[in-house]
Amino acid sequence: MSDTADPPRPPSGLRGDAPRQARAVATRGAILAAAAEEFASGSYHEASLSRILERSKVTKGALYFHFVSKESIALAVVDEMEVLCRAMVERADGLGLDGLRTAAQIAREMQDALEGPVVRAGQRLCAEGFAGPQRPGWPFRFWEETFTGLFERAAVAEILLPSVDPSSLARTIVDMSGGAFAASLAITELTDLAQRVCENWELVLGAVAVPAWLAAWRADGGMRAVLGPHVVLGVADGRGWVPGV
């Protein structure tokens, strides 16, 4: 046989691999999107595989080809939330803002993400203990670490009051944010969450930032300007803690 002979051709069946893989990715995505909607609207135990199938419009066989159980679907939804959260930080950090403004921008990114079901579902699943054994306390630990780093950066830049401990402030932000989410979900099904976020961040930043930074922040419109169309503040009750309101 000649050393220059043509290499053997792959089996003809492999020609369909790319389309099959694309269909598989689409099917998995449809299942996860449906599962996120299901988990966002109720607890893990209330969620139904039959409703996930109905929402996703895939067959039972297709679902079990990708996931072995409801728990494996829940873990995959949390995986999706983790990807989104890390992307939020990258986008906010890429704006080149100082530590405090970057932290506020992350709050805006989170508000944007909450318009979809993945983050809402992921937060609920994590709070119920379905983040998986390899990442207990996620995303709370992630956000504490993220905000601690940002507030340490703010301290180095001398825009954080010297009396403020960055790690303590980060825990406060995480506690405050989790409480706002839980209260808004219970009371208004998240319709007033942006307003709660706006109020909370203005109060906290007003207490921890140096006066010069705070004056510039308020001149730019404060947290209301960051959150933009998410925030609709009432005018009848006379609240005007953000300059210009």
Side-chain angles (χ1 to χ4, degrees):
M1 181 180 293
S2 170
D3 291 339
T4 59
D6 292 335
R9 294 182 179 181
S12 58
L14 293 181
R15 295 174 186 173
D17 280 359
R20 281 201 298 270
Q21 289 173 1
R23 286 196 298 271
V25 169
T27 298
R28 189 177 189 276
I31 296 168
L32 286 178
E37 292 177 359
E38 181 71 11
F39 291 128
S41 63
S43 70
Y44 172 84
H45 295 291
E46 292 170 334
S48 162
L49 281 177
S50 62
R51 285 195 297 270
I52 292 174
L53 280 171
E54 183 179 352
R55 288 177 188 267
S56 65
K57 304 189 186 320
V58 306
T59 65
K60 184 180 290 187
L63 184 147
Y64 282 109
F65 174 81
H66 290 279
F67 301 102
V68 298
S69 65
K70 185 169 78 170
E71 184 176 0
S72 68
I73 300 174
L75 289 172
V77 170
V78 176
D79 288 342
E80 291 293 306
M81 179 190 66
E82 181 173 344
V83 169
L84 286 178
C85 289
R86 293 187 185 280
M88 289 182 214
V89 175
E90 289 182 8
R91 282 193 300 270
D93 214 28
L95 296 175
L97 304 172
D98 64 57
L100 295 181
R101 287 179 183 265
T102 300
Q105 185 63 33
I106 287 174
R108 161 63 187 263
E109 288 276 353
M110 178 62 79
Q111 199 66 40
D112 291 346
L114 286 170
E115 292 185 346
V118 173
V119 171
R120 287 185 281 117
Q123 286 190 337
R124 177 170 258 161
L125 288 166
C126 289
E128 293 174 352
F130 290 97
Q134 77 278 16
R135 52 185 174 192
W138 215 98
F140 308 105
R141 291 179 184 273
F142 171 76
W143 289 123
E144 280 190 13
E145 292 171 1
T146 297
F147 285 121
T148 295
L150 291 173
F151 298 145
E152 287 174 346
R153 196 165 87 197
V156 171
E158 298 183 343
I159 59 175
L160 196 67
L161 292 174
S163 59
V164 177
D165 176 63
S167 59
S168 295
L169 178 57
R171 286 193 295 272
T172 298
I173 290 293
V174 171
D175 292 349
M176 176 186 75
S177 300
F181 180 85
S184 181
L185 179 64
I187 297 171
T188 69
E189 296 184 351
L190 300 180
T191 58
D192 71 342
L193 179 60
Q195 181 175 325
R196 290 173 182 270
V197 170
C198 193
E199 293 171 343
N200 290 342
W201 276 85
E202 282 293 340
L203 288 170
V204 170
L205 290 173
V208 304
V210 299
W213 183 92
L214 198 57
W217 164 257
R218 287 176 170 164
D220 290 338
M223 197 64 188
R224 187 185 184 201
V226 173
L227 288 173
H230 290 293
V231 170
V232 179
L233 292 176
V235 295
D237 56 8
R239 281 176 299 163
W241 41 261
V242 179
V245 176

